[in-house]
Amino acid sequence: MASMSVDSLALGRTSPAGALTPVHDAAKAHGWWRSAVIYQIYPRSFRDLNGDGVGDLAGITRELPELAKLGVDAIWLSPFYRSPQRDAGYDVSDYCQVDPLFGSLADFDAMLAEANRLNLRVIADLVPNHCSSDHVAFQAALAAAPGGPERDMFIFRDGRGPEGAEPPNNWQSHFGGPAWTRITEPGGRPGQWYLHLFDSSQPDFNWDNPEVHAEFERVLRFWLDRGISGFRVDVAHALVKAPGLPDWGGRADGNSAPGFPGREAPMFGQAALHDVYRRWREILEEYGPGRILCAEANVDPLPRLAKWVMPDQMHQAFNFPFLHAGLDLPKLRAVITDSLTALDAVGAPSTWVLSNHDVVRHASRFGYDGPGPRDGDGISPLDPQPDAELGRRRAAAATLFMLGLPGGAYLYQGEELGLPDGVDIPAGLRADPTFTRTCGERIGRDGCRVPLPWRAAEPNSGFGSGTGPWLPQPDCWPELARDAQEADPASHLTLYRNALALRRKHALGQGSLAWAEDYCTGSSLAYLNGDTLVILNLGSGPLELPAGDVLLRTSGAIGTDPLGSGEAIWLAIG
Ligand code: GLC
């Protein structure tokens, strides 16, 4: 029999919400992370307490009560380790030290203690695919002879062609340009090449070498011993490369392209990776329950992603297909159905996400009617600009739609304020290597990394006094500052707080999902989670609502007045 989706099998159940198509039952399994809302902190842009223009750990400690008030369960911190900051800390030169830019280990411990006091768990960012070229192991590899154990920590190869002057294969860097750089051997002659899937300052480790495994097990234990609740694992799908490093004509980011399905990319999703994560899971479990691994794994299709979150491997994997579906309602419905179906088959929750430090903020992405910016490419001042009001309205609706879904969710700092991307950033201040490696052709990810506005009346909107922030803040920052939204019942911040409180109260994260067909009209999408009906209306006209108690809606409209265009609602029915 041809395989049928849950959608096509289980038609016709009815409820006060009309015809239902069930997809997912309420969760029976336990684990805080299965329904948690985790808030991503990008330390350099969160809060600057020492006034040097860059955020720091002490700044995070200072503002943690605000995150507890927001109602999140945990925070994930992007890298704060020692690093020359050529890729904003994703180029680590010492995995067990805090970069002086952000503070010290004592500052980290103080931050963790304050988080514990506020019942917030802390997740660190582990960067195992590559380190910084300043890392002592890479410096030793450069100083050593070819073929020795120092070089074997990384992926060094002789070049192709006469004099080995061509790169060993045709792989491209995610940030543009070739993924290989040639070194000068200690004797002064042009020598071997090393692989870097990202910037040339980020050499890839050789995960065929047991020494690399041992080193990362030490790093895991170092941070677990300090008391963290787990790790978000950076480019978790890239560590192991296919034997022989064959050429690849597909996309550098591993996504499928015509003729080049992502599953065949020789640098992504290799089977041996799963053994690495099984071992890490064992290590986490030595520290007791509740420690988690979350994969940043760009693998498609969804059933393949589900393999990452089998019970003996990772706990979570970001649902990037959901992020990429944007506001395309048929796509969104298919991704949600397919995600819940594929993940249910392995007993894992879905991990929803709309924004992070690598993509244009969803308040800007949704401000376009036509195609918006390509992922990771940012918005240049010369590009068509998003409609700020439309973007913010739809972002609120999309967030409410996401937070009603069963599973876990990640929020990116500043989305609770409805922040757009920063656009007017002078070339000289742009820090993303994508910008420099493509000679400005791709503007890069700086726009979503602009330092946060905390207090409207303070210098730099309260990000920090002293030196101006490392990226300029847009003119609208004071009016979007946290304190300006604090007491406003119609603000974005109030909506997020209410949504998180109600999500907890109604246990939506542990809940079920059935499509509410009467409200899936082509320009609207609706599902029932327990007794909560969630509707997103993107049509140009209003949508009539069934009887029910309004829990929350994204506009100031009263009661069950029809749902306006670009609006979402949570309605208790039943
Ligand atoms: C991940 C990070 C991104 C970084 C890259 C290289 O995709 O999220 O910010 O540039 O890995 O570490």
Side-chain angles (χ1 to χ4, degrees):
M1 187 178 95
S3 74
M4 271 195 238
S5 69
V6 178
D7 260 16
S8 61
L9 282 173
L11 286 168
R13 241 170 58 188
T14 53
S15 87
L20 296 179
T21 304
V23 175
H24 167 82
D25 289 334
K28 291 185 194 70
H30 295 291
W32 69 272
W33 46 275
R34 289 180 172 272
S35 56
V37 176
I38 303 181
Y39 182 99
Q40 179 188 357
I41 292 183
Y42 194 66
R44 55 172 38 239
S45 300
F46 188 71
R47 175 79 163 88
D48 168 23
L49 217 60
N50 69 0
D52 66 354
V54 179
D56 40 49
L57 290 171
I60 296 173
T61 309
R62 171 69 65 92
E63 304 294 358
L64 279 179
E66 291 298 328
L67 301 187
K69 221 192 306 171
L70 179 62
V72 297
D73 301 289
I75 54 173
W76 146 39
L77 268 66
S78 281
F80 48 80
Y81 317 110
R82 196 177 282 268
S83 158
Q85 304 291 323
R86 296 199 186 95
D87 183 21
Y90 283 94
D91 50 322
V92 182
S93 57
D94 187 335
Y95 288 84
C96 298
Q97 280 298 335
V98 170
D99 197 278
L101 193 60
F102 301 120
S104 62
L105 276 173
D107 291 327
F108 176 84
D109 291 339
M111 188 275 304
L112 188 59
E114 174 66 351
N116 288 341
R117 186 184 74 76
L118 295 164
N119 276 326
L120 292 171
R121 293 169 189 266
V122 176
I123 312 284
D125 205 320
L126 189 72
V127 189
N129 180 65
H130 47 264
C131 60
S132 157
S133 49
D134 287 8
H135 193 288
V136 63
F138 190 72
Q139 286 301 314
L142 289 180
E150 293 88 352
R151 292 250 167 122
D152 197 38
M153 292 291 284
F154 299 91
I155 303 179
F156 278 89
R157 293 287 184 278
D158 294 333
R160 295 200 280 206
E163 318 284 330
E166 300 294 323
N169 70 22
N170 68 352
W171 294 2
Q172 296 294 300
S173 149
H174 280 236
F175 296 153
W180 295 91
T181 291
R182 193 171 198 186
I183 66 162
T184 302
E185 297 294 348
R189 67 178 175 81
Q192 288 195 301
W193 298 72
Y194 66 89
L195 178 70
H196 51 86
L197 292 184
F198 293 88
D199 187 47
S200 55
S201 66
Q202 293 167 294
D204 280 41
F205 280 112
N206 171 19
W207 278 88
D208 293 336
N209 182 346
E211 297 271 328
V212 171
H213 293 239
E215 173 59 11
F216 275 92
E217 290 182 13
R218 184 180 77 83
V219 173
L220 287 179
R221 289 182 192 284
F222 179 86
W223 293 105
L224 289 166
D225 284 341
R226 290 197 109 78
I228 64 163
S229 291
F231 301 91
R232 173 260 189 192
V233 181
D234 191 62
V235 277
H237 55 310
L239 277 52
V240 177
K241 279 79 179 176
L245 311 180
D247 277 349
W248 168 246
R251 286 174 58 130
D253 62 9
N255 285 321
S256 295
F260 293 100
R263 66 173 181 281
E264 288 175 12
M267 67 292 269
F268 299 121
Q270 302 298 305
L273 277 166
H274 297 285
D275 293 334
V276 176
Y277 301 131
R278 280 191 194 102
R279 175 68 193 129
W280 290 7
R281 176 85 176 225
E282 283 168 10
I283 293 175
L284 260 70
E285 283 176 0
E286 283 174 31
Y287 286 79
R291 309 296 198 284
I292 66 160
L293 293 169
C294 175
E296 187 212 22
N298 208 2
V299 285
D300 60 15
L302 279 155
R304 204 160 146 250
L305 185 66
K307 295 214 171 104
W308 292 71
V309 285
M310 311 270 278
D312 61 345
Q313 297 178 48
M314 300 250 179
H315 300 74
Q316 303 179 317
F318 292 110
N319 194 328
F320 291 131
F322 173 77
L323 185 153
H324 294 135
L327 297 178
D328 179 329
L329 296 184
K331 230 190 232 173
L332 205 52
R333 175 173 173 148
V335 164
I336 292 170
T337 298
D338 293 352
S339 302
L340 293 172
T341 308
L343 293 165
D344 278 349
V346 296
S350 179
T351 303
W352 312 107
V353 59
L354 283 168
S355 277
N356 64 32
H357 66 293
D358 290 329
V359 298
V360 171
R361 286 178 174 280
H362 62 288
S364 290
R365 290 204 312 271
F366 296 159
Y368 290 89
D369 263 328
R374 225 186 67 134
D375 253 13
D377 280 6
I379 303 171
S380 129
L382 305 174
D383 289 335
Q385 297 300 300
D387 174 335
E389 205 283 315
L390 176 71
R392 210 164 10 251
R393 175 153 41 94
R394 286 180 174 169
T399 299
L400 203 63
F401 189 79
M402 174 181 85
L403 289 176
L405 291 169
Y410 277 75
L411 306 179
Y412 176 50
Q413 68 177 35
E415 68 166 84
E416 75 279 24
L417 305 176
L419 298 185
D421 261 36
V423 174
D424 288 317
I425 301 173
L429 292 180
R430 292 205 176 264
D432 183 354
T434 313
F435 181 74
T436 33
R437 286 185 69 89
T438 62
C439 301
E441 195 187 309
R442 288 167 60 194
I443 204 85
R445 301 161 295 175
D446 293 311
C448 62
R449 300 174 175 182
V450 173
L452 294 189
W454 289 90
R455 289 159 196 98
E458 291 182 12
N460 310 316
S461 294
F463 170 64
S465 51
T467 317
W470 68 282
L471 287 174
Q473 297 169 310
D475 293 344
C476 60
W477 251 221
E479 79 200 52
L480 295 176
R482 189 170 302 260
D483 69 345
Q485 299 199 32
E486 175 76 39
D488 176 358
S491 72
H492 224 87
L493 179 61
T494 304
L495 178 80
Y496 268 70
R497 276 194 197 142
N498 289 340
L500 292 178
L502 286 163
R503 180 184 147 90
R504 194 182 293 254
K505 181 169 167 211
H506 293 265
L508 298 178
Q510 293 100 293
S512 55
L513 185 134
W515 294 114
E517 302 295 355
D518 296 5
Y519 301 92
C520 295
T521 64
S523 57
S524 63
L525 196 57
Y527 58 86
L528 190 65
N529 178 348
D531 288 337
T532 305
L533 178 64
V534 176
I535 312 177
L536 170 66
N537 180 21
L538 295 180
S540 50
L543 187 77
E544 291 295 329
L545 294 170
D549 294 328
V550 178
L551 299 175
L552 201 53
R553 60 189 296 172
T554 53
S555 79
I558 314 290
T560 47
D561 279 359
L563 193 64
S565 168
E567 223 202 308
I569 192 166
W570 288 0
L571 201 57
I573 58 164

